[in-house]
Amino acid sequence: MITVLATPGTLVAGAELALEEEEQHHLTVRRAREGEAVMLLDGAGCRGTGQLRWAGKVLSVAVDRVSREPRPPAVTLAVGAGDRERFALLAEQAVQLGATRIVPIETDRTANVATRVREGTLDKVRRRSREALKQCSAAWECAVAECVGLEQFLAEAPQGACWLADHAGSAAPSLGVSDTLTVLVGPEGGFTATERDRILSAAWVPVALGPHILRYETAALAALSTAWQARHRGDG
Amino acid sequence: MITVLATPGTLVAGAELALEEEEQHHLTVRRAREGEAVMLLDGAGCRGTGQLRWAGKVLSVAVDRVSREPRPPAVTLAVGAGDRERFALLAEQAVQLGATRIVPIETDRTANVATRVREGTLDKVRRRSREALKQCSAAWECAVAECVGLEQFLAEAPQGACWLADHAGSAAPSLGVSDTLTVLVGPEGGFTATERDRILSAAWVPVALGPHILRYETAALAALSTAWQARHRGDG
């Protein structure tokens, strides 16, 4: 079944849903037919089903049912603001693994990356992060924050558990089902020794995420997977 | 420090190490200098250090020290034999997360993938899997098996814990530090319902790896990460 994104807050059972231009375009390209059943997600906790309606060249959805899901536990992935294409890919995968917010962190080793994520390029990352909801069928979208320097990020002291992805760390501590978590992952090449000392002195917990040295994308995904398992230990 | 791959079993402290042609090429491209210190890995448990030696256009390494690491616990990643470029990328990441063997599984939904992994293309996957040791500094390489059909794979009944990556499963059971594990991950589009029933009837344990529906690459990495954490619970 095709999944269609709705503007947040617009899903109402029994109503006719107007579609954003981009969604109409996607459906037209996929040759969606009148009456075709679709799944609906608004990225703000609502999930629904409906049927497509063509009126001339304009597509809308007759909404059948809508259900609401509670907001998932807050998981922030703060990761070096390196190459923007790799960052966008990482954001797509992070959505699948339950990240609720992604923060691009400016570090010593991202400063000279010519293709790095910058303010002007974040809208594309946001679009791809939102598009990723379709594939993983998540009801809540993942926010993508503005770029922020490491010092400022540490000064703003996130609440809840704070993990630093670190090869020299220990296995992950357990995590309550609704605990807030922030995971900090260095850029390609890692944090510098000075940055790492600074992070550890701000009481971040170094957590090892695998047996070997990980690429930053792998570390970020392993951290999210680890967090999810840490919340659900004992279910198995 | 540059890492150089040695032919398995050739690392001897105090000896002169001849290098494979591909490694000589890499070092030449990187303009490696006479006397430069390098790290050595043979992929068969030996790790060493040494200095580069040029003799005309031929590079070798004067080996200083060699240490041996025990074989890590066996973790087989059996994953749908889909697009070969994605498969090779997945293999590289799987090495970082401790896979010791990768098996490409032929399934209903890989049969029609034009670019799928096949016997003739596995050498490239093997090369990339071996090259990945350099980046993650692992002492043991990850074997890449021949393609095998799902039925035959199930009939050969792997030993140890058998997990099926499955959105409808439970969180991962715990795992002893040296337990053998095989994780089975469907191809793009997943296993068919018939295949899934067949796998479950062969007593594979369905394990959920995240809050949402995962792409198969993400599921494979999450499974490896989960396995590593399941072995190390309580260390944190």
Side-chain angles (χ1 to χ4, degrees), chain A residues 96 135-136 171 208 213 215 218 236, chain B residues 96 135-136 171 213 215 218 236:
Chain A
Q96 297 168 42
Q135 192 153 36
C136 68
I213 295 167
R215 274 191 176 228
T218 312
Chain B
Q96 296 168 42
Q135 192 153 37
C136 68
I213 296 166
R215 277 192 173 223
T218 312

Side-chain angles (χ1 to χ4, degrees), chain A residues 34 48 53 61 98 102 146 205-206:
Chain A
E34 167 75 22
R53 293 282 173 260
V61 178
I102 298 176
E146 296 297 319
V205 179

Side-chain angles (χ1 to χ4, degrees), chain B residues 157-183:
Chain B
Q159 296 189 308
C162 291
W163 295 357
L164 170 66
D166 194 282
H167 185 53
S170 302
S174 62
L175 202 63
V177 168
S178 58
D179 286 357
T180 293
L181 171 70
T182 304
V183 184

Side-chain angles (χ1 to χ4, degrees), chain B residues 56-218:
Chain B
K57 289 191 169 183
V58 178
L59 261 170
S60 62
V61 178
V63 181
D64 291 333
R65 268 179 299 195
V66 175
S67 61
R68 226 188 137 66
E69 288 185 19
R71 190 181 280 277
V75 181
T76 296
L77 174 65
V79 59
D83 176 76
R84 55 178 166 259
E85 177 58 28
R86 287 171 69 179
F87 196 93
L89 268 172
L90 176 56
E92 288 175 354
Q93 291 186 290
V95 170
Q96 296 168 42
L97 288 169
T100 59
R101 187 161 159 264
I102 298 176
V103 186
I105 306 287
E106 292 160 342
T107 75
D108 287 350
R109 293 201 175 115
T110 63
N112 295 318
V113 177
T115 57
R116 71 183 179 277
V117 171
R118 292 170 215 244
E119 273 191 40
T121 59
L122 282 172
D123 278 349
K124 200 176 167 189
V125 177
R126 290 187 182 112
R127 264 201 307 280
R128 284 177 63 175
S129 152
R130 189 164 148 78
E131 279 290 314
L133 297 183
K134 291 183 187 176
Q135 192 153 37
C136 68
S137 196
W140 287 89
E141 72 182 301
C142 172
V144 178
E146 295 299 319
C147 297
V148 58
L150 178 62
E151 269 309 320
Q152 189 186 334
F153 179 75
L154 293 176
E156 286 165 2
Q159 296 189 308
C162 291
W163 295 357
L164 170 66
D166 194 282
H167 185 53
S170 302
S174 62
L175 202 63
V177 168
S178 58
D179 286 357
T180 293
L181 171 70
T182 304
V183 184
L184 184 53
V185 179
E188 188 168 14
F191 288 115
T192 63
T194 310
E195 286 172 333
R196 182 172 178 276
D197 288 347
R198 181 67 193 83
I199 296 163
L200 293 179
S201 74
W204 288 69
V205 179
V207 174
L209 298 162
H212 307 304
I213 296 166
L214 304 180
R215 277 192 173 223
Y216 74 92
E217 292 103 332
T218 312

